[in-house]
Amino acid sequence: MGYVITMAGKGGTGKTTIAALIIRSIKNNKLGSVLAIDADPNSNLGELLGTKNKGSIGAILDDISASPDKIPVGTPKERFIQYQIQSAIQEGDGFDILNMGAPEGPGCYCYVNNCLRGIMAGLIKDYDYIVIDNEAGLEHLSRRITRYADCLVVVSDASNIGLKSAQRINELTKQVKFEVKRSTLLINRFNKNVDKEKIRETNLEYLGSLPFDLSLEELSLASQSIFNLKSDSPVLKIFNTLGEKIWSHN
Ligand SMILES: Nc1ncnc2c1ncn2[C@@H]1O[C@H](COP(=O)(O)OP(=O)(O)OP(=O)(O)O)[C@@H](O)[C@H]1O
Ligand SMILES: [Mg+2]
């Protein structure tokens, strides 16, 4: 069974960047196979990982739901969907990536969504790690993929509003019965000590904070992959020890 890491947090806090850092570390430390799932329709995880977009689950399901006659005669529908989804998985260098794309349109998706859940459950078993980058806000926490996470990583800034929002995300996971083994907090772009009382109030397990790092901004401006980040960059120096708390589970 794959170890599921899922990202959450307000817009622009650094979810995609940290998802990419996690994938880079799992790959570079040779910890096992990784499936990166981009669950943000306005996605850029693939770009940050240096892969080219090969289509999305959303587009495949739209297509099947709009033209069911495309399924070859004699091929069971579920097998056809499974094949299409398998072929949407891109092989990167040391990780695979799957793009969820936009959520369903107005057609009838019950059947394809049921198939999708079964197929995703199978995929999760096939990899050692699954890293899911989500859109901002928990209402989007992609339940199309799985309703379970071994480690939820809530990314926040250090402001009061940011931490309150992180706390709300934690409460919401419980309300929507999203099953999480460990709910953690990572503060991004902050170089000082964070007020312990405010962190305690979030009821999240505090992992630490990552500093503001100009090289991350430069990488993003130059559309470069996270694998081009120099190993002596300030953020990586800290992430090398802090990140371990996210994926170690023995
Ligand atoms: N520690 C950091 N230091 C400097 N820049 C950073 C840091 N973390 C993230 N950034 C930059 O901030 C911007 C937003 O980061 P990112 O896209 O990861 O946020 P996000 O939470 O995924 O946003 P969205 O909610 O839009 O998906 C990016 O340009 C990224 O390079
Ligand atoms: Mg993002």
Side-chain angles (χ1 to χ4, degrees):
M1 189 70 186
Y3 184 85
V4 179
I5 299 166
T6 199
M7 311 302 299
K10 274 200 315 171
T13 46
K15 300 176 289 298
T16 303
T17 305
I18 291 164
L21 283 171
I22 294 170
I23 294 158
R24 174 188 156 129
S25 300
I26 294 176
K27 181 201 156 183
N28 287 357
N29 294 319
K30 298 188 170 55
L31 299 177
S33 57
V34 196
L35 177 65
I37 300 183
D38 191 344
D40 183 350
N42 307 306
S43 54
N44 61 347
L45 180 66
E47 192 179 310
L48 204 49
L49 293 171
T51 59
K52 291 214 164 58
N53 196 342
K54 196 184 161 192
S56 74
I57 298 289
I60 292 169
L61 299 192
D62 272 348
D63 201 34
I64 296 172
S65 143
S67 346
D69 51 323
K70 274 195 182 162
I71 301 175
V73 179
T75 306
K77 197 173 175 185
E78 184 167 2
R79 179 112 53 83
F80 181 75
I81 298 173
Q82 184 166 12
Y83 170 77
Q84 296 278 315
I85 291 175
Q86 284 288 353
S87 56
I89 298 178
Q90 263 171 281
E91 285 176 25
D93 180 13
F95 60 89
D96 289 352
I97 177 162
L98 183 62
N99 216 324
M100 294 308 289
E104 59 260 46
C108 177
Y109 284 79
C110 299
Y111 183 80
V112 284
N113 272 336
N114 274 340
C115 286
L116 178 62
R117 266 190 290 276
I119 294 163
M120 294 311 297
L123 274 181
I124 287 172
K125 286 200 192 105
D126 284 349
Y127 290 84
D128 297 315
Y129 293 91
I130 293 89
V131 181
I132 307 170
D133 181 30
N134 285 293
E135 199 176 349
L138 194 90
E139 57 280 18
H140 302 293
L141 199 60
S142 205
R143 278 167 265 161
R144 280 197 298 171
I145 305 170
T146 169
R147 298 184 59 85
Y148 171 82
D150 290 284
C151 186
L152 169 78
V153 182
V154 183
V155 184
S156 173
D157 57 40
S159 70
N160 284 343
I161 293 176
L163 291 172
K164 276 265 174 263
S165 157
Q167 179 182 350
R168 258 196 313 276
I169 288 174
N170 190 22
E171 285 159 6
L172 263 167
T173 41
K174 291 181 185 116
Q175 278 169 24
V176 300
K177 298 197 167 57
F178 191 94
E179 196 191 331
V180 179
K181 251 197 184 159
R182 282 171 67 214
S183 299
T184 67
L185 172 70
L186 203 161
I187 293 185
N188 192 22
R189 292 195 197 87
F190 197 66
N191 302 41
K192 296 178 220 140
N193 285 329
V194 191
D195 185 330
K196 285 202 178 79
E197 184 52 28
K198 286 187 186 135
I199 286 176
R200 208 183 50 75
E201 282 170 9
T202 65
N203 290 318
L204 290 157
E205 175 190 338
Y206 179 52
L207 299 172
S209 59
L210 289 175
F212 176 86
D213 187 339
L214 202 58
S215 52
L216 273 177
E217 272 209 337
E218 285 167 357
L219 207 71
S220 156
L221 283 173
S223 299
Q224 293 236 344
S225 116
I226 200 84
F227 295 99
N228 291 334
L229 191 64
K230 296 210 171 69
S231 50
D232 62 352
S233 72
V235 82
L236 265 186
K237 276 194 198 156
I238 297 190
F239 192 74
N240 283 340
T241 45
L242 184 156
E244 219 170 291
K245 297 182 200 165
I246 298 173
W247 55 75
S248 59
H249 52 286
N250 292 322

